[in-house]
Amino acid sequence: MMNGDALSSAVMSVRKLSHSDLPALLSLCLGNPQYYAFLDEEPTMDALAAEMTELPPGCLPNQKSYLGFFDAGGDLIAVLDLVRGYPAERSVFIGFFMVCVSRQGAGVGSSLITRLRDRLRGESVSRVRLAYVEGNEQSRRFWEKCGFVEAGAPIDQGEYRVVPMEYRLT
Ligand SMILES: CC(C)(COP(=O)(O)OP(=O)(O)OC[C@H]1O[C@@H](n2cnc3c(N)ncnc32)[C@H](O)[C@@H]1OP(=O)(O)O)[C@@H](O)C(=O)NCCC(=O)NCCS
């Protein structure tokens, strides 16, 4: 795993993404074709624009943070979609997490998730939930490495199934 100093030098700023970030976001997503192969779809500007504001059932826009992590040169190196208070109070749901392919395998992903967990623990969040696409071993192994465990039976989404996972903070 990357240590804190190495991560600090890789990630210089974090902010909510907006429509003007869509070209950079699309290019990051296009660098991960295997992820989209499991979904049987390809990333598009329109789909990503919709994802920026899409909410789980019963959630309000102020619960969602669609965050971009940038390096010193201003390049987008990771994206994280976070929904607070879902699926229950004191829970946080990770809807999407992706690292730029040129930065993968260097500990950026796991360091960002470790930092996120530490921060959420300080905010009295009790668990972090997510669901990965069944069969995607890269995703499964990544979340397992980050300490997440399976939390229920796979859920049918039509074209594919997703496997729920969670990390308990308390
Ligand atoms: C999954 C992903 C976020 C990992 O980011 P990363 O910065 O490369 O992750 P790290 O370097 O911190 O790797 C941490 C662990 O993840 C696992 N992992 C990462 N890439 C992997 C791969 N290609 N195959 C299998 N396991 C992998 C390993 O266990 C690794 O630990 P190790 O290096 O000690 O073996 C990144 O590969 C990605 O964006 N993939 C496409 C999108 C995706 O699958 N997102 C998650 C589901 S929402």
Side-chain angles (χ1 to χ4, degrees), residues 67-83:
L67 301 172
F69 299 82
F70 296 84
D71 69 10
D75 287 335
L76 181 64
I77 61 174
V79 56
L80 172 70
D81 178 8
L82 212 65
V83 181

PDB file of all heavy atoms in Angstrom, residues 67-83:
ATOM      1  N   LEU A  67     -17.095  13.018  -6.457  1.00  0.00           N
ATOM      2  CA  LEU A  67     -15.809  13.689  -6.246  1.00  0.00           C
ATOM      3  C   LEU A  67     -14.728  13.299  -7.249  1.00  0.00           C
ATOM      4  O   LEU A  67     -14.633  12.132  -7.649  1.00  0.00           O
ATOM      5  CB  LEU A  67     -15.292  13.344  -4.842  1.00  0.00           C
ATOM      6  CG  LEU A  67     -16.193  13.733  -3.673  1.00  0.00           C
ATOM      7  CD1 LEU A  67     -15.631  13.158  -2.373  1.00  0.00           C
ATOM      8  CD2 LEU A  67     -16.295  15.254  -3.571  1.00  0.00           C
ATOM      9  N   GLY A  68     -13.906  14.271  -7.587  1.00  0.00           N
ATOM     10  CA  GLY A  68     -12.739  14.015  -8.428  1.00  0.00           C
ATOM     11  C   GLY A  68     -11.471  14.277  -7.634  1.00  0.00           C
ATOM     12  O   GLY A  68     -11.406  15.217  -6.827  1.00  0.00           O
ATOM     13  N   PHE A  69     -10.457  13.432  -7.846  1.00  0.00           N
ATOM     14  CA  PHE A  69      -9.141  13.584  -7.205  1.00  0.00           C
ATOM     15  C   PHE A  69      -8.153  13.949  -8.317  1.00  0.00           C
ATOM     16  O   PHE A  69      -8.054  13.232  -9.319  1.00  0.00           O
ATOM     17  CB  PHE A  69      -8.724  12.286  -6.512  1.00  0.00           C
ATOM     18  CG  PHE A  69      -9.682  11.860  -5.428  1.00  0.00           C
ATOM     19  CD1 PHE A  69     -10.847  11.182  -5.738  1.00  0.00           C
ATOM     20  CD2 PHE A  69      -9.432  12.174  -4.093  1.00  0.00           C
ATOM     21  CE1 PHE A  69     -11.746  10.810  -4.741  1.00  0.00           C
ATOM     22  CE2 PHE A  69     -10.319  11.810  -3.092  1.00  0.00           C
ATOM     23  CZ  PHE A  69     -11.480  11.125  -3.424  1.00  0.00           C
ATOM     24  N   PHE A  70      -7.417  15.039  -8.106  1.00  0.00           N
ATOM     25  CA  PHE A  70      -6.546  15.572  -9.153  1.00  0.00           C
ATOM     26  C   PHE A  70      -5.087  15.567  -8.719  1.00  0.00           C
ATOM     27  O   PHE A  70      -4.797  15.728  -7.526  1.00  0.00           O
ATOM     28  CB  PHE A  70      -6.959  17.006  -9.492  1.00  0.00           C
ATOM     29  CG  PHE A  70      -8.341  17.106 -10.085  1.00  0.00           C
ATOM     30  CD1 PHE A  70      -9.456  17.148  -9.262  1.00  0.00           C
ATOM     31  CD2 PHE A  70      -8.534  17.134 -11.456  1.00  0.00           C
ATOM     32  CE1 PHE A  70     -10.741  17.219  -9.791  1.00  0.00           C
ATOM     33  CE2 PHE A  70      -9.806  17.207 -12.000  1.00  0.00           C
ATOM     34  CZ  PHE A  70     -10.917  17.242 -11.161  1.00  0.00           C
ATOM     35  N   ASP A  71      -4.181  15.399  -9.690  1.00  0.00           N
ATOM     36  CA  ASP A  71      -2.751  15.470  -9.362  1.00  0.00           C
ATOM     37  C   ASP A  71      -2.265  16.915  -9.496  1.00  0.00           C
ATOM     38  O   ASP A  71      -3.049  17.825  -9.819  1.00  0.00           O
ATOM     39  CB  ASP A  71      -1.935  14.479 -10.204  1.00  0.00           C
ATOM     40  CG  ASP A  71      -1.871  14.859 -11.682  1.00  0.00           C
ATOM     41  OD1 ASP A  71      -2.294  15.974 -12.050  1.00  0.00           O
ATOM     42  OD2 ASP A  71      -1.399  14.022 -12.472  1.00  0.00           O
ATOM     43  N   ALA A  72      -0.960  17.105  -9.262  1.00  0.00           N
ATOM     44  CA  ALA A  72      -0.408  18.464  -9.257  1.00  0.00           C
ATOM     45  C   ALA A  72      -0.576  19.153 -10.607  1.00  0.00           C
ATOM     46  O   ALA A  72      -0.698  20.380 -10.685  1.00  0.00           O
ATOM     47  CB  ALA A  72       1.066  18.412  -8.872  1.00  0.00           C
ATOM     48  N   GLY A  73      -0.605  18.357 -11.676  1.00  0.00           N
ATOM     49  CA  GLY A  73      -0.761  18.944 -13.012  1.00  0.00           C
ATOM     50  C   GLY A  73      -2.218  19.199 -13.368  1.00  0.00           C
ATOM     51  O   GLY A  73      -2.515  19.637 -14.481  1.00  0.00           O
ATOM     52  N   GLY A  74      -3.133  18.903 -12.425  1.00  0.00           N
ATOM     53  CA  GLY A  74      -4.555  19.132 -12.686  1.00  0.00           C
ATOM     54  C   GLY A  74      -5.229  17.976 -13.411  1.00  0.00           C
ATOM     55  O   GLY A  74      -6.381  18.097 -13.829  1.00  0.00           O
ATOM     56  N   ASP A  75      -4.515  16.850 -13.569  1.00  0.00           N
ATOM     57  CA  ASP A  75      -5.135  15.695 -14.232  1.00  0.00           C
ATOM     58  C   ASP A  75      -5.996  14.919 -13.243  1.00  0.00           C
ATOM     59  O   ASP A  75      -5.605  14.719 -12.088  1.00  0.00           O
ATOM     60  CB  ASP A  75      -4.057  14.757 -14.799  1.00  0.00           C
ATOM     61  CG  ASP A  75      -3.392  15.357 -16.030  1.00  0.00           C
ATOM     62  OD1 ASP A  75      -4.029  16.201 -16.701  1.00  0.00           O
ATOM     63  OD2 ASP A  75      -2.227  15.006 -16.302  1.00  0.00           O
ATOM     64  N   LEU A  76      -7.143  14.469 -13.744  1.00  0.00           N
ATOM     65  CA  LEU A  76      -8.068  13.671 -12.931  1.00  0.00           C
ATOM     66  C   LEU A  76      -7.469  12.276 -12.765  1.00  0.00           C
ATOM     67  O   LEU A  76      -7.201  11.584 -13.747  1.00  0.00           O
ATOM     68  CB  LEU A  76      -9.418  13.589 -13.656  1.00  0.00           C
ATOM     69  CG  LEU A  76     -10.537  12.816 -12.957  1.00  0.00           C
ATOM     70  CD1 LEU A  76     -10.931  13.485 -11.644  1.00  0.00           C
ATOM     71  CD2 LEU A  76     -11.748  12.691 -13.877  1.00  0.00           C
ATOM     72  N   ILE A  77      -7.246  11.855 -11.518  1.00  0.00           N
ATOM     73  CA  ILE A  77      -6.643  10.528 -11.331  1.00  0.00           C
ATOM     74  C   ILE A  77      -7.586   9.526 -10.673  1.00  0.00           C
ATOM     75  O   ILE A  77      -7.343   8.334 -10.716  1.00  0.00           O
ATOM     76  CB  ILE A  77      -5.285  10.574 -10.592  1.00  0.00           C
ATOM     77  CG1 ILE A  77      -5.416  11.162  -9.203  1.00  0.00           C
ATOM     78  CG2 ILE A  77      -4.271  11.354 -11.391  1.00  0.00           C
ATOM     79  CD1 ILE A  77      -4.082  11.068  -8.445  1.00  0.00           C
ATOM     80  N   ALA A  78      -8.692  10.013 -10.090  1.00  0.00           N
ATOM     81  CA  ALA A  78      -9.668   9.069  -9.528  1.00  0.00           C
ATOM     82  C   ALA A  78     -11.016   9.762  -9.368  1.00  0.00           C
ATOM     83  O   ALA A  78     -11.080  11.002  -9.272  1.00  0.00           O
ATOM     84  CB  ALA A  78      -9.195   8.542  -8.172  1.00  0.00           C
ATOM     85  N   VAL A  79     -12.061   8.957  -9.373  1.00  0.00           N
ATOM     86  CA  VAL A  79     -13.416   9.481  -9.190  1.00  0.00           C
ATOM     87  C   VAL A  79     -14.141   8.610  -8.173  1.00  0.00           C
ATOM     88  O   VAL A  79     -13.939   7.388  -8.138  1.00  0.00           O
ATOM     89  CB  VAL A  79     -14.152   9.578 -10.550  1.00  0.00           C
ATOM     90  CG1 VAL A  79     -14.190   8.241 -11.256  1.00  0.00           C
ATOM     91  CG2 VAL A  79     -15.576  10.094 -10.379  1.00  0.00           C
ATOM     92  N   LEU A  80     -14.962   9.270  -7.327  1.00  0.00           N
ATOM     93  CA  LEU A  80     -15.672   8.564  -6.258  1.00  0.00           C
ATOM     94  C   LEU A  80     -17.084   9.135  -6.133  1.00  0.00           C
ATOM     95  O   LEU A  80     -17.254  10.341  -5.972  1.00  0.00           O
ATOM     96  CB  LEU A  80     -14.925   8.769  -4.932  1.00  0.00           C
ATOM     97  CG  LEU A  80     -15.596   8.272  -3.661  1.00  0.00           C
ATOM     98  CD1 LEU A  80     -15.623   6.744  -3.619  1.00  0.00           C
ATOM     99  CD2 LEU A  80     -14.848   8.796  -2.433  1.00  0.00           C
ATOM    100  N   ASP A  81     -18.065   8.243  -6.219  1.00  0.00           N
ATOM    101  CA  ASP A  81     -19.468   8.639  -6.047  1.00  0.00           C
ATOM    102  C   ASP A  81     -19.923   8.138  -4.681  1.00  0.00           C
ATOM    103  O   ASP A  81     -19.948   6.928  -4.438  1.00  0.00           O
ATOM    104  CB  ASP A  81     -20.306   7.997  -7.172  1.00  0.00           C
ATOM    105  CG  ASP A  81     -21.788   8.328  -7.048  1.00  0.00           C
ATOM    106  OD1 ASP A  81     -22.158   9.155  -6.208  1.00  0.00           O
ATOM    107  OD2 ASP A  81     -22.574   7.739  -7.815  1.00  0.00           O
ATOM    108  N   LEU A  82     -20.250   9.083  -3.814  1.00  0.00           N
ATOM    109  CA  LEU A  82     -20.572   8.752  -2.425  1.00  0.00           C
ATOM    110  C   LEU A  82     -21.978   9.243  -2.091  1.00  0.00           C
ATOM    111  O   LEU A  82     -22.318  10.378  -2.394  1.00  0.00           O
ATOM    112  CB  LEU A  82     -19.578   9.536  -1.567  1.00  0.00           C
ATOM    113  CG  LEU A  82     -19.098   8.974  -0.270  1.00  0.00           C
ATOM    114  CD1 LEU A  82     -18.299   7.710  -0.515  1.00  0.00           C
ATOM    115  CD2 LEU A  82     -18.216  10.019   0.415  1.00  0.00           C
ATOM    116  N   VAL A  83     -22.783   8.382  -1.466  1.00  0.00           N
ATOM    117  CA  VAL A  83     -24.115   8.823  -1.006  1.00  0.00           C
ATOM    118  C   VAL A  83     -24.197   8.594   0.496  1.00  0.00           C
ATOM    119  O   VAL A  83     -24.069   7.448   0.963  1.00  0.00           O
ATOM    120  CB  VAL A  83     -25.252   8.067  -1.730  1.00  0.00           C
ATOM    121  CG1 VAL A  83     -26.607   8.563  -1.241  1.00  0.00           C
ATOM    122  CG2 VAL A  83     -25.133   8.231  -3.242  1.00  0.00           C
TER     123      VAL A  83
END
